[in-house]
Every structure is written in structure tokens, then in C-alpha cells.
Amino acid sequence: MNDKAKTKTVKKGLYWIIVGRETRYAPWFLGRKKSYRLLPPTREQFIELAKVRNDLELGPSETGSKQEKDTLVVDPTCKAKGKLILNSGACWIKNPDSATLSWMIELAHELNGRVVDYAGRAYTSPTEYYLHPEDKEVLENRGLKLPK
């Protein structure tokens, strides 16, 4: 594979839309350790966004628990072929193509969030990424290796 093909390939793995971060502290008797939870967009945020975008549609999914079914977020215009899985804990996709990743980046921008991959890289385009300061702090807090 030549260098041009390498730069245009989206890295395989999991990708999430993140709209914020919640900081938690352990009780005093556990040393008040700090931990973080990355917050996904809510179903209500996607419903509001679907009212103004014609490339966004929500539907039921067969995944999830009996109590809470997941929601599929799809592009009915078929420009983005991938489907986002939305549940109370995350909004994610596995191995998106570049068109789907571009669509996710647009959605995240409108939700005042960002698209983050499994290694903590935040994407501005399918081939350009950076390490967001909040994500860096979360990775360091969890003792994970920072991406290059």
C-alpha cells in the first residue's frame, strides 16, 4: 500500500460521538479518587436534530436489553452507509467508512460534541485527528497509553 492510500484509509475500530464529560469522585474513605465518564448525546438531542436534517433518521434496533432497546441512527439518503447504535451509555459504530465518519463528524459538530475513536483521537475529518485535552485527561486517569 502506498502513502496516499494509507492517509485516506479510516482506521478500523470503534468510534463514538461524545458531547461532554462527567467527573466523579470516590468517597472519602476510598481516597477521593477522581474518575470520568464520557457522555453520549441523548435520544432527545437526536430527535431534535432529525427535525432539521434530512439525512438523519432514528429507528428501533434488535440489540439492547429487554427493558431498554437500542436506537439505530441512520442516513436515509444512503450517502453514509453505516448505522450508529445509540443507547443510554454510548453512541457508537464499528469500522465506519470515510463517508460515514464524515457524517458522524457533521452530526457531532451540530451537537456541540466530537467524534472519538478507540484510542482517544478526536476527528476533524476522516483523515485528520487530534488529542482533545479532556480525552487526554480521561486516558491518563484510566492509566491507558496515549496515542501518537
Side-chain angles (χ1 to χ4, degrees), residues 10 14 19 27 37 51 66 69 73 77-78 87 115 117 132-135 137 146:
V10 175
L14 295 173
V19 295
R37 178 174 170 250
K51 291 177 183 177
K66 289 183 180 180
K69 289 289 185 188
V73 180
T77 64
C78 296
N87 58 34
V115 174
D117 72 3
H132 192 280
E134 284 185 359
D135 300 333
E137 193 173 5
L146 295 174

PDB file of all heavy atoms in Angstrom, residues 10 14 19 27 37 51 66 69 73 77-78 87 115 117 132-135 137 146:
ATOM      1  N   VAL A  10      -9.615   4.975   6.711  1.00  0.00           N
ATOM      2  CA  VAL A  10     -10.090   5.199   8.073  1.00  0.00           C
ATOM      3  C   VAL A  10      -9.614   4.034   8.928  1.00  0.00           C
ATOM      4  O   VAL A  10      -9.692   2.881   8.523  1.00  0.00           O
ATOM      5  CB  VAL A  10     -11.639   5.280   8.086  1.00  0.00           C
ATOM      6  CG1 VAL A  10     -12.152   5.400   9.502  1.00  0.00           C
ATOM      7  CG2 VAL A  10     -12.107   6.447   7.248  1.00  0.00           C
ATOM      8  N   LEU A  14     -13.615   1.032  17.005  1.00  0.00           N
ATOM      9  CA  LEU A  14     -14.841   1.667  17.480  1.00  0.00           C
ATOM     10  C   LEU A  14     -14.706   3.187  17.470  1.00  0.00           C
ATOM     11  O   LEU A  14     -13.643   3.724  17.772  1.00  0.00           O
ATOM     12  CB  LEU A  14     -15.149   1.195  18.906  1.00  0.00           C
ATOM     13  CG  LEU A  14     -15.476  -0.285  19.056  1.00  0.00           C
ATOM     14  CD1 LEU A  14     -15.599  -0.637  20.528  1.00  0.00           C
ATOM     15  CD2 LEU A  14     -16.743  -0.636  18.319  1.00  0.00           C
ATOM     16  N   VAL A  19     -20.399  14.207  23.731  1.00  0.00           N
ATOM     17  CA  VAL A  19     -20.839  15.599  23.868  1.00  0.00           C
ATOM     18  C   VAL A  19     -20.423  16.238  25.182  1.00  0.00           C
ATOM     19  O   VAL A  19     -20.670  17.410  25.400  1.00  0.00           O
ATOM     20  CB  VAL A  19     -22.373  15.741  23.686  1.00  0.00           C
ATOM     21  CG1 VAL A  19     -22.782  15.390  22.279  1.00  0.00           C
ATOM     22  CG2 VAL A  19     -23.124  14.916  24.692  1.00  0.00           C
ATOM     23  N   PRO A  27     -15.793   8.060  47.390  1.00  0.00           N
ATOM     24  CA  PRO A  27     -15.996   8.544  48.760  1.00  0.00           C
ATOM     25  C   PRO A  27     -14.671   8.796  49.479  1.00  0.00           C
ATOM     26  O   PRO A  27     -13.641   8.236  49.109  1.00  0.00           O
ATOM     27  CB  PRO A  27     -16.766   7.401  49.446  1.00  0.00           C
ATOM     28  CG  PRO A  27     -17.241   6.525  48.353  1.00  0.00           C
ATOM     29  CD  PRO A  27     -16.387   6.775  47.159  1.00  0.00           C
ATOM     30  N   ARG A  37     -16.503   9.944  33.165  1.00  0.00           N
ATOM     31  CA  ARG A  37     -17.409   9.236  32.266  1.00  0.00           C
ATOM     32  C   ARG A  37     -17.667  10.154  31.083  1.00  0.00           C
ATOM     33  O   ARG A  37     -18.087  11.300  31.268  1.00  0.00           O
ATOM     34  CB  ARG A  37     -18.715   8.914  32.988  1.00  0.00           C
ATOM     35  CG  ARG A  37     -19.725   8.223  32.115  1.00  0.00           C
ATOM     36  CD  ARG A  37     -20.945   7.806  32.935  1.00  0.00           C
ATOM     37  NE  ARG A  37     -21.971   7.358  32.036  1.00  0.00           N
ATOM     38  CZ  ARG A  37     -23.105   8.009  31.791  1.00  0.00           C
ATOM     39  NH1 ARG A  37     -23.379   9.120  32.435  1.00  0.00           N
ATOM     40  NH2 ARG A  37     -23.971   7.538  30.930  1.00  0.00           N
ATOM     41  N   LYS A  51     -35.257  16.731  13.137  1.00  0.00           N
ATOM     42  CA  LYS A  51     -36.284  17.652  12.657  1.00  0.00           C
ATOM     43  C   LYS A  51     -35.738  18.653  11.652  1.00  0.00           C
ATOM     44  O   LYS A  51     -36.477  19.155  10.810  1.00  0.00           O
ATOM     45  CB  LYS A  51     -36.918  18.407  13.825  1.00  0.00           C
ATOM     46  CG  LYS A  51     -37.765  17.526  14.711  1.00  0.00           C
ATOM     47  CD  LYS A  51     -38.305  18.321  15.883  1.00  0.00           C
ATOM     48  CE  LYS A  51     -39.107  17.437  16.823  1.00  0.00           C
ATOM     49  NZ  LYS A  51     -39.574  18.172  18.009  1.00  0.00           N
ATOM     50  N   LYS A  66     -34.013  -6.182  27.312  1.00  0.00           N
ATOM     51  CA  LYS A  66     -35.472  -6.202  27.153  1.00  0.00           C
ATOM     52  C   LYS A  66     -36.092  -4.911  27.674  1.00  0.00           C
ATOM     53  O   LYS A  66     -37.091  -4.446  27.155  1.00  0.00           O
ATOM     54  CB  LYS A  66     -36.066  -7.400  27.882  1.00  0.00           C
ATOM     55  CG  LYS A  66     -35.765  -8.716  27.224  1.00  0.00           C
ATOM     56  CD  LYS A  66     -36.435  -9.850  27.957  1.00  0.00           C
ATOM     57  CE  LYS A  66     -36.096 -11.162  27.265  1.00  0.00           C
ATOM     58  NZ  LYS A  66     -36.721 -12.304  27.929  1.00  0.00           N
ATOM     59  N   LYS A  69     -34.373  -0.987  24.689  1.00  0.00           N
ATOM     60  CA  LYS A  69     -33.866  -1.317  23.360  1.00  0.00           C
ATOM     61  C   LYS A  69     -32.966  -0.188  22.867  1.00  0.00           C
ATOM     62  O   LYS A  69     -33.164   0.978  23.199  1.00  0.00           O
ATOM     63  CB  LYS A  69     -35.024  -1.500  22.366  1.00  0.00           C
ATOM     64  CG  LYS A  69     -35.832  -2.748  22.595  1.00  0.00           C
ATOM     65  CD  LYS A  69     -35.035  -3.957  22.207  1.00  0.00           C
ATOM     66  CE  LYS A  69     -35.860  -5.219  22.319  1.00  0.00           C
ATOM     67  NZ  LYS A  69     -35.088  -6.403  22.135  1.00  0.00           N
ATOM     68  N   VAL A  73     -29.396   5.000  14.441  1.00  0.00           N
ATOM     69  CA  VAL A  73     -29.369   6.308  13.803  1.00  0.00           C
ATOM     70  C   VAL A  73     -28.800   6.065  12.411  1.00  0.00           C
ATOM     71  O   VAL A  73     -27.677   5.585  12.274  1.00  0.00           O
ATOM     72  CB  VAL A  73     -28.482   7.304  14.587  1.00  0.00           C
ATOM     73  CG1 VAL A  73     -28.472   8.655  13.903  1.00  0.00           C
ATOM     74  CG2 VAL A  73     -28.962   7.424  16.023  1.00  0.00           C
ATOM     75  N   THR A  77     -30.743   8.962   3.153  1.00  0.00           N
ATOM     76  CA  THR A  77     -30.322   9.320   1.803  1.00  0.00           C
ATOM     77  C   THR A  77     -29.253   8.377   1.273  1.00  0.00           C
ATOM     78  O   THR A  77     -28.880   8.453   0.109  1.00  0.00           O
ATOM     79  CB  THR A  77     -29.769  10.761   1.768  1.00  0.00           C
ATOM     80  OG1 THR A  77     -28.587  10.836   2.569  1.00  0.00           O
ATOM     81  CG2 THR A  77     -30.802  11.769   2.254  1.00  0.00           C
ATOM     82  N   CYS A  78     -28.738   7.499   2.147  1.00  0.00           N
ATOM     83  CA  CYS A  78     -27.732   6.470   1.812  1.00  0.00           C
ATOM     84  C   CYS A  78     -26.372   7.018   1.398  1.00  0.00           C
ATOM     85  O   CYS A  78     -25.578   6.298   0.796  1.00  0.00           O
ATOM     86  CB  CYS A  78     -28.275   5.523   0.747  1.00  0.00           C
ATOM     87  SG  CYS A  78     -29.682   4.578   1.319  1.00  0.00           S
ATOM     88  N   ASN A  87     -27.575   4.141  22.736  1.00  0.00           N
ATOM     89  CA  ASN A  87     -28.227   3.662  23.953  1.00  0.00           C
ATOM     90  C   ASN A  87     -27.896   4.640  25.063  1.00  0.00           C
ATOM     91  O   ASN A  87     -27.271   5.669  24.821  1.00  0.00           O
ATOM     92  CB  ASN A  87     -27.838   2.214  24.285  1.00  0.00           C
ATOM     93  CG  ASN A  87     -26.343   2.021  24.445  1.00  0.00           C
ATOM     94  OD1 ASN A  87     -25.635   2.899  24.917  1.00  0.00           O
ATOM     95  ND2 ASN A  87     -25.863   0.874  24.045  1.00  0.00           N
ATOM     96  N   VAL A 115     -16.184  13.434  17.568  1.00  0.00           N
ATOM     97  CA  VAL A 115     -16.075  12.010  17.290  1.00  0.00           C
ATOM     98  C   VAL A 115     -14.724  11.544  17.804  1.00  0.00           C
ATOM     99  O   VAL A 115     -13.696  12.126  17.475  1.00  0.00           O
ATOM    100  CB  VAL A 115     -16.209  11.719  15.776  1.00  0.00           C
ATOM    101  CG1 VAL A 115     -15.957  10.251  15.485  1.00  0.00           C
ATOM    102  CG2 VAL A 115     -17.573  12.141  15.265  1.00  0.00           C
ATOM    103  N   ASP A 117     -12.201   8.041  18.616  1.00  0.00           N
ATOM    104  CA  ASP A 117     -12.012   6.626  18.312  1.00  0.00           C
ATOM    105  C   ASP A 117     -11.547   5.867  19.548  1.00  0.00           C
ATOM    106  O   ASP A 117     -11.393   6.440  20.627  1.00  0.00           O
ATOM    107  CB  ASP A 117     -11.074   6.417  17.119  1.00  0.00           C
ATOM    108  CG  ASP A 117      -9.615   6.726  17.421  1.00  0.00           C
ATOM    109  OD1 ASP A 117      -9.270   7.062  18.563  1.00  0.00           O
ATOM    110  OD2 ASP A 117      -8.802   6.631  16.483  1.00  0.00           O
ATOM    111  N   HIS A 132      -7.889  15.654  22.121  1.00  0.00           N
ATOM    112  CA  HIS A 132      -8.626  16.674  22.865  1.00  0.00           C
ATOM    113  C   HIS A 132      -8.134  16.668  24.316  1.00  0.00           C
ATOM    114  O   HIS A 132      -7.900  15.604  24.891  1.00  0.00           O
ATOM    115  CB  HIS A 132     -10.127  16.367  22.799  1.00  0.00           C
ATOM    116  CG  HIS A 132     -10.988  17.468  23.264  1.00  0.00           C
ATOM    117  ND1 HIS A 132     -11.221  17.703  24.599  1.00  0.00           N
ATOM    118  CD2 HIS A 132     -11.675  18.412  22.580  1.00  0.00           C
ATOM    119  CE1 HIS A 132     -12.024  18.740  24.718  1.00  0.00           C
ATOM    120  NE2 HIS A 132     -12.318  19.189  23.508  1.00  0.00           N
ATOM    121  N   PRO A 133      -7.956  17.842  24.939  1.00  0.00           N
ATOM    122  CA  PRO A 133      -7.439  17.892  26.314  1.00  0.00           C
ATOM    123  C   PRO A 133      -8.269  17.076  27.309  1.00  0.00           C
ATOM    124  O   PRO A 133      -7.716  16.422  28.185  1.00  0.00           O
ATOM    125  CB  PRO A 133      -7.470  19.380  26.659  1.00  0.00           C
ATOM    126  CG  PRO A 133      -7.455  20.083  25.355  1.00  0.00           C
ATOM    127  CD  PRO A 133      -8.132  19.181  24.373  1.00  0.00           C
ATOM    128  N   GLU A 134      -9.605  17.099  27.179  1.00  0.00           N
ATOM    129  CA  GLU A 134     -10.446  16.308  28.090  1.00  0.00           C
ATOM    130  C   GLU A 134     -10.214  14.816  27.888  1.00  0.00           C
ATOM    131  O   GLU A 134     -10.155  14.054  28.842  1.00  0.00           O
ATOM    132  CB  GLU A 134     -11.923  16.629  27.871  1.00  0.00           C
ATOM    133  CG  GLU A 134     -12.356  17.934  28.459  1.00  0.00           C
ATOM    134  CD  GLU A 134     -13.853  18.157  28.333  1.00  0.00           C
ATOM    135  OE1 GLU A 134     -14.567  17.297  27.768  1.00  0.00           O
ATOM    136  OE2 GLU A 134     -14.311  19.198  28.802  1.00  0.00           O
ATOM    137  N   ASP A 135     -10.085  14.390  26.638  1.00  0.00           N
ATOM    138  CA  ASP A 135      -9.873  12.973  26.352  1.00  0.00           C
ATOM    139  C   ASP A 135      -8.504  12.526  26.854  1.00  0.00           C
ATOM    140  O   ASP A 135      -8.356  11.410  27.350  1.00  0.00           O
ATOM    141  CB  ASP A 135     -10.005  12.695  24.849  1.00  0.00           C
ATOM    142  CG  ASP A 135     -11.388  13.060  24.330  1.00  0.00           C
ATOM    143  OD1 ASP A 135     -12.346  13.017  25.117  1.00  0.00           O
ATOM    144  OD2 ASP A 135     -11.505  13.394  23.139  1.00  0.00           O
ATOM    145  N   GLU A 137      -6.952  13.719  29.452  1.00  0.00           N
ATOM    146  CA  GLU A 137      -7.070  13.584  30.898  1.00  0.00           C
ATOM    147  C   GLU A 137      -7.790  12.289  31.281  1.00  0.00           C
ATOM    148  O   GLU A 137      -7.409  11.609  32.228  1.00  0.00           O
ATOM    149  CB  GLU A 137      -7.818  14.794  31.468  1.00  0.00           C
ATOM    150  CG  GLU A 137      -7.726  14.916  32.961  1.00  0.00           C
ATOM    151  CD  GLU A 137      -8.331  16.212  33.480  1.00  0.00           C
ATOM    152  OE1 GLU A 137      -8.909  16.977  32.689  1.00  0.00           O
ATOM    153  OE2 GLU A 137      -8.217  16.439  34.687  1.00  0.00           O
ATOM    154  N   LEU A 146      -1.405   6.859  25.712  1.00  0.00           N
ATOM    155  CA  LEU A 146      -1.844   7.947  24.845  1.00  0.00           C
ATOM    156  C   LEU A 146      -1.447   7.655  23.397  1.00  0.00           C
ATOM    157  O   LEU A 146      -0.371   7.136  23.135  1.00  0.00           O
ATOM    158  CB  LEU A 146      -1.222   9.277  25.282  1.00  0.00           C
ATOM    159  CG  LEU A 146      -1.650   9.780  26.652  1.00  0.00           C
ATOM    160  CD1 LEU A 146      -0.861  11.024  27.014  1.00  0.00           C
ATOM    161  CD2 LEU A 146      -3.119  10.074  26.689  1.00  0.00           C
TER     162      LEU A 146
END
